[in-house]
Amino acid sequence: MTLMGAAALLILVLTYAGVAIGRIPGLRLDRAGIALLGGAAMIAIGALSMEDAYRAINFDTITLLLGMMIVVAHLKVSGAFRGLGAIAIEHAHAPFMLLVMVTLLTGVLSAFLVNDAICLVMAPIVVHVTRVIKRNPIPYLIATATASNCGSVATITGNPQNMVIGALSGISYPAFSAALAPVALFGLVAVVVIIRVVYRAEFARTVQLTPEVSRGRMHKGQVLKAVVVCIGLAIAFFAGVPVAKAALIGGAILLLTRAIKPERIYREIDGPLLFMFAGLFVVVAGAEKTLLTPDMIASAKNLGLDDVWRLSGFTAVLSNIMSNVPAVLALRPFIPGLENPERAWLVVAMSSTLAGNFTLLGSVANLIVAEQARVAGTPLSFGAFFKVGLPLTLITLAAGTAWLAFGF
């Protein structure tokens, strides 16, 4: 190995370790900063030129994520999410129906919009409702987190790792959804069944509930415009319009308003996530250029990654070690050389997402729900989540892998 190759390997390992841990001890550096530092280090050692670094960043992914963030921010700020949540939850007149409503609402919204943002909206609603009707909030909060992960499997726009896969693989939005929407639906059913069994005391007796959700202030005109834009986006996605283009245009249209200050929308955009993506693209490209020979890439066949079951398990483990987006980027050089790259990408999308339900630390969506619960004074423990997450992850991964192995 050359000196540059050794340096690139060290940068790759340190960057991925830092992203997995979330910080560097003794320094105020978060995941975004770690990824950007890693990318800059790759340029500094000469693994990539500035031009190579620019080309390494997949701007379709960045643009899609930015556009969807603007759309989601507008739905949140206009009051659309809270209004929809109120309508759905107020029709739940028994604990089990409340569980079903929370699961379906979170899962369906997460299928088309970024799941992390949906958790930011839904978790406070769930805490408020359960507090008002004097129910245990934990099973409903777990349903929010796990349903957001399961639901987001269904589409390219469901979560950040799917956006990366959509851009890298070239799989169309309709083809992606046709393959993975059944897996997402099965996952939502599994969420309801497993939580019903694990927290059976919560649902043992039939209790008449009258949940109420404060709708707050709603900008009705902006809600209507946002709904129209979302319907237009769905049509554009399934009609084959490039998803990044459609999302950017949709987000830009929503910025045309007299009712909502743009600063309120900008505050909802997760800039650090965009920076992290850019940095990781550069780090992976630098490592790929200096370390991965054609023989090393071909060696993926020796790992048996052509086998759907082995690829699914490998992706799930990798996603829990280093987080799902870095895991997807780490697998990027190896997937095109497999026998069926399209199916392999779908397996990676399915497994990297469902693996997030394994522990409370498995996905950003889980951490968002846990933090919202902590702030509200109803902490969600690692053990409480794991009682649901362990069986849910094993069952959904097995079902999803079987579907892609035999049904696709």
Side-chain angles (χ1 to χ4, degrees), residues 20 74 77 156 175 183 192 204 254 261 267 306 329 364 369 376 385:
H74 199 92
V77 171
I156 287 173
V183 178
V192 172
L254 289 176
K261 292 181 179 179
R267 283 197 296 267
D306 275 319
L329 290 175
V364 174
V369 172
F385 187 94

Side-chain angles (χ1 to χ4, degrees), residues 128-139:
H128 169 74
V129 168
T130 52
R131 182 172 291 166
V132 168
I133 61 177
K134 296 180 172 59
R135 306 302 300 182
N136 177 12
I138 299 303

Side-chain angles (χ1 to χ4, degrees), residues 6 61 169 264 288 349 356 366 377 387 407:
T61 302
S169 68
R264 296 183 65 189
E288 186 176 349
N366 300 351
K387 287 192 297 184

